[in-house]
Amino acid sequence: MLTYTFRRLLISIPTLLFIAFVIFMLLELAPGDPMANMPLTIPPEVKEKMRLALGLGEPWWIRFPLWLKQFFIVEPMYWIDGTFGTNLADGAQRIISFQSRSPVFDTIAQRLPQTLWVVGMSYVVGVLIALPIGIISAYRQYSIFDQAGTFVSMIGFSVPPFFSGVLLIVIFSVSLGWLPSIYDTTHVVNDWASLKVQIKQMIMPVMVLALQTTAQVSRYMRASMLDNLGQDYVRTARAKGMTESVVVLRHVLRNSMIPVITVIALGIPSIFGGAIITEQIFKVNGLGQLLIIALQGNDIPMVMTLTFLFAILIVMFNLIADVLYGVFDPRIRYD
């Protein structure tokens, strides 16, 4: 297992470098100019000087290695300096946003807690609800519970977030007045009362996102459970006199979790990417909204850094899913 993990880590290095190059070239070839949003009263020669100040006057074969150096060397050194009080970076140039003229990683660090509060919590809630729904629906196939779970899953797949989010705002904020319609990103949790306020403003965006996660994971869980419930080892276990709880939870569930692990693991990077539509509806100042603003303003360093971070997370959680296969299924060996 350790050899396999180490080999996969080595393979992931050229993979990520290729992904970084593709992202960089796509942004390089995409239409748009960071100076397009500047006032028309600015003379062309001033705009050209601003372009040179942003580093856009250099060719791509100089800017791309520079960005790699800043991402993999300079930014980690700044993190080490901030954590341990050292001076490894020694004032080296960081990745700077074209729009805010501030370090990109500092802006991401400011937005990440809001995304984790909302999107991360919704994913955890969605998975915790989906797994028992999928298990019970498969064990009691075609029952009322199974039909209700299928109905909820159809709603989760069919109703887009921009509709369900607005519907919840109309019901719970406008009509009933129970929950706030706008997420207050400046709210600080420091006591029980502030925690209750935070929970209230999280309920609606978490409900919208958790519904989608529940619909997807519960269907995979149900299908995998149904496939394993009809296997020979289940009949053998029952013939040995094992109780239904042991058969279902110990034998069937463990084998059924193998394909579901992939769905859950590959969905985790979407947490850090944020939910773009939902964050826009509830005004959550998270990473999804940050990416939209950066795309609209042609903020190439911000877009490049965010998309590459998402790529790293996807590659990493692919590896984690493959390793977990061997944990849940002893028949799988990585020799």
Side-chain angles (χ1 to χ4, degrees):
M1 183 72 74
L2 289 176
T3 304
Y4 170 79
T5 304
F6 182 71
R7 186 169 65 248
R8 283 288 301 272
L9 287 174
L10 289 179
I11 295 174
S12 65
I13 295 175
T15 302
L16 288 173
L17 290 177
F18 177 74
I19 293 173
F21 178 74
V22 171
I23 295 173
F24 182 87
M25 293 308 299
L26 287 174
L27 293 174
E28 182 75 11
L29 299 174
D33 187 355
M35 299 293 103
N37 296 326
M38 294 295 173
L40 298 176
T41 55
I42 298 179
E45 58 273 14
V46 176
K47 284 188 177 181
E48 186 61 28
K49 290 182 180 179
M50 295 173 67
R51 286 178 58 84
L52 295 176
L54 294 175
L56 296 175
E58 301 290 343
W60 68 265
W61 56 84
I62 294 178
R63 288 188 287 119
F64 179 63
L66 176 61
W67 181 86
L68 289 177
K69 176 185 176 182
Q70 291 172 331
F71 188 94
F72 288 104
I73 298 177
V74 176
E75 292 295 343
M77 287 194 301
Y78 271 99
W79 179 81
I80 294 173
D81 291 345
T83 304
F84 301 102
T86 57
N87 191 28
L88 297 176
D90 194 23
Q93 179 64 47
R94 303 181 66 181
I95 303 176
I96 302 298
S97 168
F98 286 170
Q99 290 179 304
S100 63
R101 301 303 299 159
S102 61
V104 167
F105 274 89
D106 289 352
T107 306
I108 294 174
Q110 294 171 1
R111 299 287 191 109
L112 183 59
Q114 305 299 335
T115 295
L116 293 181
W117 264 110
V118 177
V119 188
M121 182 62 67
S122 67
Y123 195 77
V124 173
V125 171
V127 170
L128 292 178
I129 295 175
L131 293 180
I133 288 178
I135 295 170
I136 299 173
S137 296
Y139 187 72
R140 298 183 177 180
Q141 189 180 13
Y142 305 128
S143 64
I144 297 177
F145 185 90
D146 184 24
Q147 294 175 2
T150 302
F151 177 74
V152 172
S153 298
M154 289 177 60
I155 294 177
F157 277 119
S158 305
V159 179
F162 63 82
F163 177 80
S164 58
V166 174
L167 182 63
L168 290 181
I169 290 175
V170 171
I171 295 174
F172 294 102
S173 296
V174 178
S175 300
L176 300 176
W178 291 351
L179 302 173
S181 61
I182 296 178
Y183 187 92
D184 183 9
T185 56
T186 62
H187 179 71
V188 179
V189 178
N190 49 25
D191 54 19
W192 178 249
S194 59
L195 178 61
K196 290 193 294 184
V197 173
Q198 177 68 19
I199 293 175
K200 286 182 65 176
Q201 70 175 358
M202 286 173 55
I203 289 177
M204 286 197 295
V206 167
M207 286 173 60
V208 171
L209 296 173
L211 178 61
Q212 294 181 311
T213 304
T214 301
Q216 181 184 25
V217 177
S218 64
R219 290 296 91 188
Y220 278 98
M221 189 74 247
R222 179 182 182 274
S224 184
M225 285 286 294
L226 286 175
D227 183 59
N228 282 277
L229 282 170
Q231 298 295 323
D232 292 337
Y233 73 89
V234 177
R235 289 190 289 269
T236 302
R238 286 170 175 163
K240 288 181 178 180
M242 294 183 181
T243 61
E244 279 297 299
S245 60
V246 173
V247 172
V248 174
L249 298 179
R250 184 176 177 181
H251 295 280
V252 179
L253 179 59
R254 182 170 183 176
N255 289 327
S256 300
M257 284 297 297
I258 296 173
V260 180
I261 289 173
T262 304
V263 179
I264 296 175
L266 294 182
I268 293 178
S270 65
I271 297 174
F272 300 91
I276 297 175
I277 297 176
T278 306
E279 288 185 357
Q280 291 288 334
I281 293 173
F282 295 100
K283 308 301 180 186
V284 180
N285 201 16
L287 295 181
Q289 188 184 63
L290 178 63
L291 180 59
I292 290 294
I293 295 174
L295 287 170
Q296 292 173 344
N298 295 308
D299 192 347
I300 296 176
M302 182 66 73
V303 176
M304 179 75 185
T305 304
L306 281 173
T307 51
F308 187 62
L309 284 174
F310 301 156
I312 292 176
L313 290 171
I314 291 173
V315 172
M316 182 179 68
F317 280 100
N318 263 296
L319 174 60
I320 293 174
D322 290 342
V323 172
L324 288 178
Y325 281 163
V327 175
F328 279 87
D329 192 348
R331 297 171 297 180
I332 298 177
R333 287 293 178 265
Y334 299 108
D335 297 326

